[in-house]
Amino acid sequence: MNSFKGALKEILGEQPFLLRSLAGIKERGGQNIRIGKKSGTTILAMHYKNGVVIAGDRRTTEWYLHTDDAIKIEETENFTAIGCAGTVSFIQDLKDTLLYAITRLENMVETPIYVDGQAMLLKSILKGNFEHFAELIYILGYAVPILAGYHPKLEKGMIFEF
């Protein structure tokens, strides 16, 4: 476990994995933010005796337009999936960043990173990106992700809400 924490600290270092979808906000300093029409979505995760189930609706909206083919639940790695309501580009960006971090960490410690380790990575990514933008999360439509998966060594399902 010490090698995992040491490798995690080494790849995270002082700079967090930055999300591309927040780059414009950091450059503009949060000015000229347009508040759009609010709508809701549903992401649900439940655990049972032998694992977990995570599901979400497929509707996306932008003002008066909508589609019913968005994918809001994405498989990450090693029996794990991430789901997020809110901006679709944010969940894709978050998933890509998490996969990159998982791959780097797995290469360093030479062992698979399961759902509990992925949750630690995701927490670090979110904290590093939203630490100074907490008041903007609601305005921008960035919602909180749910990470769910099966841990084969512990033989149980785990759900992490951020």
Side-chain angles (χ1 to χ4, degrees), residues 1 7 26 35 59 63 75-76 89 105 107 110 114 131 134 148-149 162:
M1 192 61 157
K26 292 180 180 183
I35 299 175
R59 178 162 284 203
W63 295 97
E75 183 180 350
T76 56
S89 62
L105 189 57
N107 288 338
E110 298 177 350
Y114 295 113
E131 190 170 47
F162 297 88

Side-chain angles (χ1 to χ4, degrees), residues 71-72 74 82-84 87-95:
I71 297 174
K72 297 179 183 176
E74 296 272 347
I82 185 172
C84 188
T87 310
V88 176
S89 62
F90 170 66
I91 184 63
Q92 187 62 47
D93 189 15
L94 188 59
K95 184 197 82 130

Side-chain angles (χ1 to χ4, degrees), residues 74-78 80-82 95 98-99 102 118 147:
E74 296 272 347
E75 183 180 350
T76 56
E77 284 189 1
N78 302 322
T80 308
I82 185 172
K95 184 197 82 130
L98 180 60
L99 284 175
I102 291 167
Q118 291 179 28
L147 187 72

Side-chain angles (χ1 to χ4, degrees), residues 19 36-37 42 45-47 49 83 85 89 103 114 119 121 145 148 150 161:
L19 300 174
K37 190 177 193 180
T42 303
M46 298 184 305
H47 63 84
K49 183 179 178 182
S89 62
T103 303
Y114 295 113
L121 275 173
Y150 178 76
E161 178 182 9

Side-chain angles (χ1 to χ4, degrees), residues 84-160:
C84 188
T87 310
V88 176
S89 62
F90 170 66
I91 184 63
Q92 187 62 47
D93 189 15
L94 188 59
K95 184 197 82 130
D96 291 347
T97 305
L98 180 60
L99 284 175
Y100 176 74
I102 291 167
T103 303
R104 286 208 40 207
L105 189 57
E106 284 179 339
N107 288 338
M108 291 179 79
V109 297
E110 298 177 350
T111 186
I113 307 300
Y114 295 113
V115 65
D116 52 347
Q118 291 179 28
M120 289 175 61
L121 275 173
L122 185 57
K123 179 182 174 185
S124 297
I125 291 167
L126 291 169
K127 185 177 179 184
N129 281 277
F130 289 115
E131 190 170 47
H132 304 292
F133 297 104
E135 66 278 356
L136 298 177
I137 293 172
Y138 178 75
I139 296 171
L140 295 171
Y142 293 112
V144 209
I146 294 175
L147 187 72
Y150 178 76
H151 197 301
K153 290 186 177 182
L154 300 177
E155 296 182 352
K156 69 176 185 175
M158 302 173 102
I159 299 171
F160 296 91

